[in-house]
Amino acid sequence: MQITEIGVIGLAVMGRSIALNMADHGFKVGGYNRSGKVTDEVVKEYPHENFIPFYDMESLVASQERPRRFLIMVKAGKPVDMVIEQLVPLLDEGDMILDGGNSFFEDTRRRERSLKSKGIYYFGTGVSGGEHGARFGPSIMPGGEESAYSHIAPVLEAVAAKAKGEPCCAYMGPDGAGHYVKMVHNGIEYADMQLIAEAYLLLKYAGGHTNEELAAIFEEWNEGELKSYLIEITARIFREADDYAQGELVDHILDSAGQKGTGRWTSLESLRQGVNVSMITAACNARIMSNRIEERKAAQSLINGSQNRPAVDKGTFADMVRKGLYTAKIVAYAQGFDLLRHASAEYGWNLNYGRIASIFRAGCIIQAQFLDEITKAFDKDSELTNLMLDSYFLEGINRGKEGLQNILCLGIQNGIPLPAMSQAEAYIDAFRGMPVGANLIQAQRDCFGAHTFERTDREGIFHHDWGQDNE
């Protein structure tokens, strides 16, 4: 007799939250954790009539009728393989395993191939939104065998966040597509957060704004084109009182940020694909530099700083930062979706970029009003090669580019590090056809290594005798 409809393996914060979300939506959920103590804690702290605890995997598997469905919510890497090794001998052909962690997409492709040979469907399922999203509605990105998606869609689409009445969950594509999209989502998230941090530095150290003023500025921005989850929580952060000292908490937090690896994966994959995601790479590097605390302290007394040059008019400068931030944000998303476009061609995924943007509109960390326009852009032209070429975003770039340039100049004069914004401007200038110096690089390569070059005035491949003895 069927007792459960889906099993969740791994009941830490994310697993517990999504299991309870499923239970809220009327699904009978079997929960299992390697540590029975954790399972007991979930039952005690979050009692739910639709949540049924299990203390061994055999009982969990036996509680479902075929085809069975299991969602793995454990740490990415070897722990996922260990769960699969335990689970697979208990399954039958046609059963389904979903991996809801931040697994590397190549691991997902490997697992999907292996399990397919055993007749078991494997879905790499990106889940974004943190604990709150998992509990009350995340953005979900499943990838795997399309013919089997209908068996898991009712559960995933029921528990996903809703944007304009539509679930923020959709089939992404075969094998590793779901986890790849989640990886790029996280890369964009890195860039978005770094841009906001740079806007904060500009407003505070060049604009001279207090935390209270910063909160008001970000609240105002959240009423316009920058409206998003990250802008909203940033406004709240500036007003949050400290627990142990006078003033706001943000001023007592160490100036050092960690990272879990998905941003780095995005950057590394972009190099492999030959795609420029310089803003995501800059955001990763900014976090790396933030961790060099002792070196930064030492260098502060050794390297001359810049002369303080405050903005002339705080209000005008704040509006300039807003325009620059929005312009740079367009570039970050353009880079991320460009990487998705190349990956789709490389792996044969046939990604739907408009649909991807639409499922980011709620539930996830990068949820923003901005994504409505990205959805429209790709719905209008599914072959759009770069988001900046869409008329809406092109107008935004042209409107805000001068503001971006101006805040960069003042920021550099004040010694404020602006790695992501700087890369946004460099990307725009290179993309619009300005000389990038590659002609000189071709000449250098031919001069020292006879690598040949192409000409502007005639077809063919050329080599020149540069008249020197190169070693």
Side-chain angles (χ1 to χ4, degrees), residues 15 62 117 168 248-249 293 298 353 362 377 400 457 459 470:
S117 68
C168 291
E248 288 75 38
L249 176 58
I293 296 174
Y353 314 111
D457 55 355
E459 297 292 325
N470 296 309

Side-chain angles (χ1 to χ4, degrees), residues 47-357:
H48 200 298
E49 62 180 358
N50 289 332
F51 179 83
I52 304 164
F54 289 86
Y55 295 89
D56 62 83
M57 221 174 266
E58 290 81 3
S59 300
L60 176 69
V61 172
S63 72
Q64 283 190 57
E65 292 181 356
R66 297 169 58 189
R68 306 179 184 95
R69 300 173 291 194
F70 300 94
L71 174 63
I72 299 175
M73 296 295 292
V74 301
K75 187 177 180 181
K78 188 175 181 181
V80 177
D81 289 315
M82 292 171 66
V83 171
I84 292 172
E85 287 172 9
Q86 290 178 278
L87 186 59
V88 167
L90 307 173
L91 301 184
D92 295 299
E93 188 172 332
D95 288 345
M96 282 154 275
I97 299 175
L98 291 74
D99 174 11
N102 273 334
S103 290
F104 184 50
F105 80 100
E106 288 286 15
D107 288 338
T108 302
R109 298 183 79 207
R110 167 179 57 80
R111 293 165 184 148
E112 196 268 346
R113 286 192 301 269
S114 174
L115 291 172
K116 182 181 287 187
S117 68
K118 297 177 174 64
I120 296 169
Y121 297 108
Y122 188 77
F123 284 85
T125 307
V127 179
S128 178
E131 178 184 1
H132 185 272
R135 182 66 184 86
F136 300 106
S139 175
I140 307 177
M141 298 144 258
E145 177 60 49
E146 186 173 14
S147 64
Y149 178 66
S150 61
H151 293 285
I152 61 172
V155 180
L156 298 184
E157 294 180 8
V159 302
K162 305 298 185 293
K164 298 184 177 180
E166 298 178 351
C168 291
C169 172
Y171 175 73
M172 295 287 99
D175 54 77
H179 274 145
Y180 197 101
V181 171
K182 176 58 163 55
M183 178 188 74
V184 175
H185 162 282
N186 285 21
I188 294 172
E189 177 187 313
Y190 274 55
D192 213 344
M193 293 173 71
Q194 179 62 29
L195 288 172
I196 293 171
E198 292 175 17
Y200 153 64
L201 293 175
L202 285 164
L203 291 169
K204 181 171 184 175
Y205 296 104
H209 289 278
T210 64
N211 287 336
E212 181 62 32
E213 291 170 336
L214 287 169
I217 288 170
F218 275 82
E219 285 170 349
E220 181 182 345
W221 287 358
N222 201 44
E223 297 299 318
E225 59 192 3
L226 284 169
K227 180 177 177 61
S228 67
Y229 171 73
L230 285 171
I231 293 292
E232 176 192 337
I233 66 169
T234 301
R236 295 207 313 264
I237 286 168
F238 288 126
R239 285 207 172 96
E240 194 72 18
D242 188 62
D243 300 310
Y244 302 102
Q246 294 294 316
E248 288 75 38
L249 176 58
V250 68
D251 292 331
H252 298 279
I253 296 176
L254 186 67
D255 187 26
S256 176
Q259 52 185 314
K260 290 188 176 180
T262 45
R264 284 199 297 265
W265 288 348
T266 309
S267 182
L268 291 168
E269 175 64 11
S270 75
L271 291 172
R272 206 185 72 77
Q273 291 284 344
V275 177
N276 184 340
V277 296
S278 54
M279 293 181 66
I280 295 170
T281 302
C284 292
N285 285 335
R287 295 196 191 188
I288 291 169
M289 289 298 291
S290 77
N291 299 148
R292 304 287 182 86
I293 296 174
E294 295 305 316
E295 293 170 73
R296 287 164 53 206
K297 285 180 180 177
Q300 196 168 36
S301 62
L302 298 173
I303 301 174
N304 293 334
S306 302
Q307 183 180 352
N308 185 30
R309 301 186 185 188
V312 176
D313 183 275
K314 290 172 68 173
T316 301
F317 182 66
D319 191 57
M320 201 181 297
V321 174
R322 176 186 63 80
K323 291 177 180 177
L325 174 59
Y326 181 70
T327 304
K329 184 182 176 81
I330 293 173
V331 179
Y333 280 76
Q335 290 184 352
F337 275 85
D338 191 27
L339 180 56
L340 288 175
R341 185 173 67 88
H342 280 78
S344 183
E346 171 78 13
Y347 301 114
W349 287 335
N350 194 29
L351 297 177
N352 184 327
Y353 314 111
R355 192 72 186 97
I356 290 170

